Amino acid sequence: RRILGAVAVGRALAREVPEGGRIGVLLPNAVGSVVTFSGLQAFGRVPCLLNPSAGATNVLATCRTATIGTVVSSRDFIQRAKLSRLVEQMAEQVRFVWLEDIRARIGFREKMRAKLDAFMPERLPGAHADPGSPAVVLFTSGSEGNPKGVALSHRNILANCAQLSSVIDFHGGDIVFNAMPMFHSFGLTGGTI
């Protein structure tokens, strides 16, 4: 089900940013974040995971650094996390795409196409990504000036996952509690991927 959602959401988000383009992701640690991240990957877009606790100045600096013109988020998350002021400040420089609007655009036809693509993932643009190309952009905390963007390649992420699996014997019955946010390198690679 997560794969179907990722393909459907990814295709819809792919219309917002050109292939290889960067898109900000301002979401909580939740299934919707994983679906969004996976969907962007499937369609060759580079998610840039934003830290809402960094404050408007630092978040906007990260958007400028990574040349992010579009940010995907959720109105429900923004309301619950009390981030409306942050979004107002960001909206002066970036365009927001809301997951609630994306979900409303995914009809029967899009769901059927997602099912077909889930059975033939090699047809998706992200399946043919260069291993050395950027897969995600994470940002430093900004404790020593403006946050710095760190582009991790597909090879970097797979190497991190292999390193972790060399010391932990994961299997399908494991349950993982990830307290680290996805915008953190350990939260993304060790806790999510």
Side-chain angles (χ1 to χ4, degrees):
R1 192 167 181 208
R2 180 180 63 87
I3 293 171
L4 292 177
V7 173
V9 167
R11 179 172 279 109
L13 288 172
R15 296 182 190 112
E16 305 294 334
V17 177
E19 189 168 345
R22 296 176 178 169
I23 184 167
V25 177
L26 185 63
L27 292 168
N29 274 20
V31 173
S33 301
V34 177
V35 167
T36 300
F37 179 84
S38 301
L40 291 169
Q41 292 281 308
F43 285 88
R45 279 33 179 205
V46 181
C48 301
L49 305 179
L50 304 175
N51 176 358
S53 66
T57 301
N58 283 340
V59 174
L60 285 169
T62 62
C63 290
R64 283 190 298 277
T65 298
T67 61
I68 298 168
T70 303
V71 173
V72 62
S73 191
S74 161
R75 288 186 188 99
D76 185 48
F77 167 62
I78 297 302
Q79 178 187 4
R80 288 177 188 238
K82 297 179 174 61
L83 295 173
S84 297
R85 182 71 184 126
L86 172 67
V87 169
E88 288 170 14
Q89 292 173 303
M90 290 178 67
E92 295 174 8
Q93 297 182 35
V94 298
R95 179 176 64 95
F96 275 87
V97 175
W98 303 103
L99 282 181
E100 291 87 351
D101 297 341
I102 295 292
R103 184 176 38 222
R105 284 190 275 180
I106 299 172
F108 178 77
R109 187 178 191 176
E110 290 79 12
K111 290 177 185 176
M112 290 298 106
R113 188 168 181 193
K115 280 190 175 196
L116 178 65
D117 286 339
F119 285 110
M120 294 187 284
E122 66 278 359
R123 296 175 3 150
L124 300 173
H128 306 285
D130 173 5
S133 68
V136 64
V137 177
L138 301 178
F139 298 93
T140 63
S141 64
S143 58
E144 298 176 5
N146 284 338
K148 294 158 191 68
V150 180
L152 297 178
S153 70
H154 297 280
R155 185 180 291 118
N156 293 143
I157 291 175
L158 292 174
N160 288 157
C161 292
Q163 290 160 349
L164 188 59
S165 67
S166 73
V167 294
I168 299 173
D169 185 23
F170 290 114
H171 60 81
D174 287 342
I175 296 173
V176 177
F177 175 72
N178 179 20
M180 299 290 291
M182 283 179 63
F183 59 75
H184 189 280
S185 59
F186 295 141
L188 178 64
T189 56
T192 304
I193 298 175

